Amino acid sequence: MGLSRRTFSALAGTTALGLALTGSGSLATNARTSRSVPTGPPPSPPTADGRRHSVGFDRYSLIVDGRRLVLWSGEMHPFRLPSPSLWRDVLQKMRAHGHNAVSVYVAWNYHSPAPGAYDFTGVRDLDLFLRTAAETGLYVILRPGPYINAEVDAGGFPGWLTATEGRARTADPTYLKHVDEWLTQVNTIAARHQFTKGTGTVLLYQIENEYDPSGAGAGLGATARDYMSHLYKKVRADGIDVPLFHNDKGRNGRWLPGSFDTGGEKGRWLYGFDGYPDPARTPPDWGHFGVGGRTGGATASPRTPGFLPEFGGGWFDGWGGATFQGKGYAEARRTRDAAYERRFHLTNLANGITLNNVYMTFGGTSWGWLPAPAVYTSYDYGAAFDEGRKAATAKLAPMHQLGHLLQRVPDFAKLDRAAAVRARDDRLKVYHLTNPDTGFHVYVVRNDTDEDISSTMPDAGFAVPFTVPARDALLLTADLALGRRKLKYATVPPMFCVTAGRQDIALFAGRYGDMAQIALESEQDVEATRLDPEGAWIYDRGLLRVTAPLGVGGLTRVRVEAAGSERPLLLLFADDATSLRLWPFDTPSGTVLVYGPPLVREVTVRGDTVHLTGDTYGATGLEVWAPRGVGRVTWNRRPVRTRISVTGSLLAEPLLPGVEPVTLPALDSGWRRRTEDPESEPDFDDSAWTVADKKTSFSITPVPEGQPVLFADDYGFHYGDVWYRGHVTEAAGAESVALSYSTGTQGLLMAWLDGTPLGTHRMPVPDKDTVGKGSWADTATFDLPRVLPQGAGGAHVLSVLVRPMQHDQDGGADDAHKVARGLTAVTFKGADTGASSQPEVRWRLQGAAEPDPVRGPLNNGGLFGEREGWHLPGFADGEWRTVDLPHADRGQGVTWYRKTFRLALDTGTDASIGLVLDDDPARAYRVQIFLNGWNMGQYINDVGPQHTFVLPNGILRTRGTNTLALAVLSDGTTPSGPRDVRLTLLGVAAGGVPVTPVDSPGR
């Protein structure tokens, strides 16, 4: 919804707000000696400026170029957004909403289709991502594994590693050889983007991920220490000189400084720990106020700052949706809402955590065969930015406010636990901290009850009442420098204080309707001007007391001046929604503060003009506080007519235009349809298929005695569907066949004998107890359609299609990723088929063809249509049958549907579009969705919970023709769709970023 002209009227029209407190001033010091690093201005936003930089730390915080830095990072994975242009979109949104860093995994399997083969081009261009992050002004926390977990196939290990010798995640020389090769590839890129070199913004680097090979209660063995030591030394040898770290999967005190050999290097290793607390429980104390010691979180490493490499910004969901009662990620976002963010993040802040990374901040899509068995296609995660890149989730406001606060108020970088303080109502828990340099006081007041509580805190000087909502928290501050003035106390949190032009601007933000009460110290009488009717003030005995109801009437402004003062203070009061319209940006010319648009992406000052880019939804106002000498404004490269407001801001005369309506085409008619499964026919030519003739395997699944290895990975088929054809002879008396197979969650098997369907077997839908189970094994027994001829020696063909559903992760460092996928054993049963007289079977198998050179190894599986290019744009489907939807088939096997459609979105319109599939949940079928040849995910109609699939711009041609291909796999027990297939608008804005089409070769 746009902002009205009333919000920007002359009376109510001044500015938004600012930030950046300087505390006790700045002093360039050696980053390694914390005593010489007082509280002062934070480092400037990072860029690839060509200058050397120092990165160190002490027990309080990181220290960059002698200045303290609080890290407020958000996790995103470039591999979960296969459109490089959109990386900039998400990074700009993160930066605008208060993040100063981005944390990224680099997935080995995404870049390596085969041993010795690596691809960092196209959607896998890591160099481009790191350049984009630097251009956006974000530090980078780089996490290249070698194991990343991340709910991706095999935890990020490449498929080919499942068929190699040596135990992974140990000092095994064969495994380390492959690891070194991978790290050499990654580090060649990472080294040239290090912030220390001035050539990028990579600030921290992680080796390994939640590494715990010990088993319950055991110590970390010598081989594990040797492994970590090897990784450390390898990374350093590759030229990585920023601080290194590992993320303990809990508060276990694993991999503390000094726990393994770092080659004599000291003081460059950070201890970090991950935390995903249950939102229904009381927030835990992982630092100053906790149990202390080795299992106390931050207290395990008292000489390094509190570091959460992963803190739960949501949680993942599995097939069937057991985690969130079938409600999907909407429920994850509801249970980890704005109150959750305040309650848990403020508790972490009180406990001395100054390095924060929110996992996930943008979840994205596990497209193709990327997802681990534990998750379905969507990896939305309930994050602050949803899978469609929309930044309008309710939980965003506290993240936005806290991020800007921690960046702009340097006092938060150095806090000690202070004397205990109690609220008058004992149901409130109070944390008290103070900055030893500035005397700044922080009070985190938490309400763990189910009702709102109003109270006072007289011992801390808060005799005025404040309210903490049920299961929420409130940040109170006292003795804080606001530019040239000092805040005595405030009953609502500050969001920032900046100097823009000739004035300081301070913003206070909180819940709608809350009464903000602040007091400013002043030795002389001051002149306060109420610029909006909601604000009120009174001066009495050295204190200026200002009150304002948050959000009532929009933004409330009060200007404070004193005789002889050159720089007034503009106080701004906003509710959560209004705070999301306030955007402070630092430029070489000074700070710029923008108020009005729902997103400001970039701010550049050239001469007397400030150039803004950003997004609008509806028509909205614009107000800009700019450095001295700036009198002109452009918005998205167009001049904006402005006038000077009473607070010196540039106030746009016309409203900024909103977005034009977007119309999407219907998809219910004009489909082309064709069935496949020729592999099931007895006369199908499989002579070019791979012979299953191996006798041994590196899998941890045993090979049945007397049978060949049938595991798909041993023959190079790692992703997607796999076909088996067994040529059976001497099958006299066989009455049934037992097909043992192993898959991930929701795997299935289909079988035919001589072209006749035998049936389908599928793994059960997981419940709450099994939703995290990564490998499932079972045996499907099928009656044969007739008794095979006694002793005739006649040949028969047993055809089997297995959908493996990806490899388990290796979180326990037990080679779980090497559990077999595909068929594991085949046994015939009958009067004359005992263990010593099994029929002779010669097996051949076929999976995916050569990896797509553009889309990568995770895009395609082994369906006939995939091998023949039926999913690709330009495929000649003119002879296929034409059908309209809904269309139902009944039969075991695979049917393909293809359709082209055109979009003609206006230039400058950023529309996020999804594909929706709906049908009667009693119908058992699943769909692989291909857009312009890119595998955008899997839909399982009778399992769910996912029905909407994001189609990222770039892969989706928003101005041009698109090809949609659906591979429908049905078990034959029910009619199978598709029934309702439609496009849906997930979000739309005027603005966005320029999008380069992603290469989508066809035939």
Side-chain angles (χ1 to χ4, degrees), residues 627-848:
R628 297 183 184 187
V630 173
R632 301 175 185 270
V633 176
T634 69
W635 175 257
N636 289 342
R637 292 167 292 282
R638 294 184 178 180
V640 176
R641 188 175 73 254
T642 64
R643 61 179 174 82
I644 304 296
S645 77
V646 293
T647 60
S649 65
L650 300 171
L651 193 63
E653 291 280 313
L655 297 177
L656 300 180
V659 67
E660 296 296 323
V662 171
T663 302
L664 300 177
L667 300 180
D668 54 353
S669 63
W671 289 85
R672 299 281 188 172
R673 173 188 172 275
R674 182 175 177 181
T675 59
E676 53 153 88
D677 316 321
E679 301 94 337
S680 67
E681 298 300 326
D683 58 353
F684 177 81
D685 182 6
D686 61 18
S687 59
W689 284 21
T690 301
V691 177
D693 56 3
K694 295 188 176 186
K695 301 299 182 184
T696 61
S697 172
F698 293 121
S699 170
I700 64 174
T701 301
V703 179
E705 184 177 354
Q707 296 201 25
V709 175
L710 296 174
F711 313 157
D713 288 297
D714 286 72
Y715 299 97
F717 304 124
H718 307 301
Y719 306 114
D721 298 289
V722 179
W723 274 98
Y724 295 83
R725 282 173 57 87
H727 296 262
V728 185
T729 58
E730 301 297 336
E735 298 175 352
S736 66
V737 61
L739 303 174
S740 297
Y741 72 118
S742 176
T743 73
T745 307
Q746 277 301 287
L748 63 72
L749 172 151
M750 294 180 172
W752 294 257
L753 183 66
D754 298 334
T756 300
L758 297 179
T760 297
H761 185 280
R762 54 193 288 184
M763 298 299 179
V765 179
D767 56 23
K768 285 188 175 182
D769 294 329
T770 59
V771 69
K773 182 179 176 180
S775 289
W776 300 69
D778 208 341
T779 298
T781 299
F782 300 110
D783 292 333
L784 299 179
R786 64 185 181 278
V787 177
L788 297 179
Q790 296 282 346
H796 301 271
V797 178
L798 178 61
S799 300
V800 181
L801 174 64
V802 179
R803 177 156 289 183
M805 298 297 284
Q806 299 313 88
H807 305 88
D808 198 358
Q809 299 176 109
D810 192 16
D814 54 7
D815 269 354
H817 64 294
K818 290 186 177 181
V819 174
R821 290 296 184 259
L823 280 180
T824 56
V826 179
T827 305
F828 288 84
K829 297 180 182 180
D832 300 324
T833 54
S836 61
S837 60
Q838 285 291 302
E840 180 183 340
V841 186
R842 293 177 291 106
W843 286 101
R844 293 179 182 269
L845 68 162
Q846 177 67 55

Side-chain angles (χ1 to χ4, degrees), residues 370-384:
L370 183 67
V375 295
Y376 46 85
T377 299
S378 175
Y379 200 68
D380 177 278
Y381 217 78

Side-chain angles (χ1 to χ4, degrees), residues 104-334:
V104 292
Y105 277 135
V106 187
W108 190 354
N109 59 2
Y110 194 61
H111 296 274
S112 182
Y118 291 92
D119 185 358
F120 287 89
T121 64
V123 298
R124 290 168 292 280
D125 193 341
L126 177 62
D127 188 270
L128 173 61
F129 180 85
L130 296 177
R131 292 202 311 271
T132 305
E135 292 164 2
T136 308
L138 291 170
Y139 294 108
V140 175
I141 303 173
L142 195 65
R143 308 207 288 163
Y147 177 80
I148 63 172
N149 199 66
E151 289 73 60
V152 297
D153 177 56
F157 283 154
W160 55 261
L161 195 70
T162 64
T164 61
E165 187 178 9
R167 183 177 171 185
R169 308 188 77 187
T170 71
D172 180 279
T174 302
Y175 169 69
L176 290 182
K177 174 180 176 294
H178 296 307
V179 165
D180 286 352
E181 188 178 76
W182 161 243
L183 291 178
T184 296
Q185 296 287 328
V186 173
N187 292 340
T188 298
I189 299 170
R192 61 176 180 257
H193 289 277
Q194 294 182 92
F195 185 65
T196 48
K197 308 293 186 186
T199 52
T201 56
V202 174
L203 186 73
L204 301 174
Y205 181 111
Q206 176 179 308
I207 64 170
E208 254 293 351
N209 184 80
E210 295 183 336
Y211 181 51
D212 174 22
S214 63
L220 299 175
T223 186
R225 293 195 299 271
D226 289 347
Y227 174 47
M228 291 291 282
S229 179
H230 178 93
L231 295 178
Y232 191 102
K233 294 173 183 177
K234 166 61 178 172
V235 169
R236 287 293 188 230
D238 285 346
I240 305 300
D241 64 5
V242 298
L244 306 181
F245 72 96
H246 168 270
N247 57 330
D248 190 347
K249 70 167 62 175
R251 278 64 53 205
N252 304 298
R254 295 193 181 105
W255 308 118
L256 298 169
S259 60
F260 63 94
D261 180 16
T262 58
E265 184 176 75
K266 297 181 179 180
R268 304 290 289 162
W269 176 256
L270 287 161
Y271 171 70
F273 59 94
D274 292 350
Y276 291 87
D278 185 337
R281 297 188 177 182
T282 301
D285 291 319
W286 290 335
H288 290 321
F289 294 86
V291 297
R294 190 181 185 92
T295 60
T299 59
S301 182
R303 295 185 180 180
T304 62
F307 184 11
L308 272 167
E310 294 181 26
F311 184 81
W315 191 249
F316 58 85
D317 198 17
W319 289 108
T323 303
F324 298 112
Q325 301 82 48
K327 300 175 183 178
Y329 287 115
E331 182 69 2
R333 193 166 282 112
R334 186 192 69 81

Side-chain angles (χ1 to χ4, degrees), residues 435-757:
N435 184 298
D437 299 331
T438 65
F440 166 60
H441 290 267
V442 174
Y443 305 90
V444 172
V445 186
R446 201 178 72 216
N447 179 2
D448 296 324
T449 77
D450 292 324
E451 59 183 84
D452 295 359
I453 297 176
S454 295
S455 186
T456 60
M457 211 157 51
D459 292 345
F462 284 84
V464 293
F466 54 83
T467 299
V468 186
R471 303 187 68 79
D472 208 328
L474 179 64
L475 179 70
L476 302 177
T477 55
D479 300 320
L480 174 66
L482 294 181
R484 296 184 177 182
R485 291 173 176 80
K486 176 167 277 192
L487 177 72
K488 185 63 178 176
Y489 65 80
T491 63
V492 294
M495 181 171 140
F496 57 70
C497 181
V498 297
T499 299
R502 291 179 170 83
Q503 63 187 331
D504 298 322
I505 307 174
L507 171 63
F508 294 84
R511 288 195 317 164
Y512 178 87
D514 280 356
M515 181 60 71
Q517 302 185 67
I518 73 167
L520 296 174
E521 292 184 356
S522 180
E523 296 181 355
Q524 55 181 334
D525 197 1
V526 296
E527 178 181 342
T529 304
R530 184 174 64 177
L531 301 172
D532 295 286
E534 292 79 15
W537 63 273
I538 186 172
Y539 178 79
D540 181 38
R541 291 175 292 184
L543 286 180
L544 176 69
R545 304 176 192 271
V546 182
T547 60
L550 299 182
V552 178
L555 187 67
T556 300
R557 310 157 175 86
V558 175
R559 185 174 57 204
V560 179
E561 298 175 279
S565 173
E566 296 181 357
R567 207 162 72 196
L569 172 65
L570 180 64
L571 297 172
L572 304 179
F573 299 92
D575 66 343
D576 288 344
T578 305
S579 74
L580 288 169
R581 300 292 184 119
L582 288 153
W583 312 101
F585 277 82
D586 293 319
T587 77
S589 301
T591 299
V592 175
L593 181 62
V594 183
Y595 173 49
L599 178 67
V600 175
R601 295 179 176 274
E602 296 178 299
V603 175
T604 306
V605 177
R606 291 194 295 270
D608 66 348
T609 304
V610 57
H611 302 274
L612 311 175
T613 65
D615 295 0
T616 59
Y617 307 140
T620 189
L622 174 69
E623 191 168 10
V624 181
W625 289 266
R628 297 183 184 187
V630 173
R632 301 175 185 270
V633 176
T634 69
W635 175 257
N636 289 342
R637 292 167 292 282
R638 294 184 178 180
V640 176
R641 188 175 73 254
T642 64
R643 61 179 174 82
I644 304 296
S645 77
V646 293
T647 60
S649 65
L650 300 171
L651 193 63
E653 291 280 313
L655 297 177
L656 300 180
V659 67
E660 296 296 323
V662 171
T663 302
L664 300 177
L667 300 180
D668 54 353
S669 63
W671 289 85
R672 299 281 188 172
R673 173 188 172 275
R674 182 175 177 181
T675 59
E676 53 153 88
D677 316 321
E679 301 94 337
S680 67
E681 298 300 326
D683 58 353
F684 177 81
D685 182 6
D686 61 18
S687 59
W689 284 21
T690 301
V691 177
D693 56 3
K694 295 188 176 186
K695 301 299 182 184
T696 61
S697 172
F698 293 121
S699 170
I700 64 174
T701 301
V703 179
E705 184 177 354
Q707 296 201 25
V709 175
L710 296 174
F711 313 157
D713 288 297
D714 286 72
Y715 299 97
F717 304 124
H718 307 301
Y719 306 114
D721 298 289
V722 179
W723 274 98
Y724 295 83
R725 282 173 57 87
H727 296 262
V728 185
T729 58
E730 301 297 336
E735 298 175 352
S736 66
V737 61
L739 303 174
S740 297
Y741 72 118
S742 176
T743 73
T745 307
Q746 277 301 287
L748 63 72
L749 172 151
M750 294 180 172
W752 294 257
L753 183 66
D754 298 334
T756 300

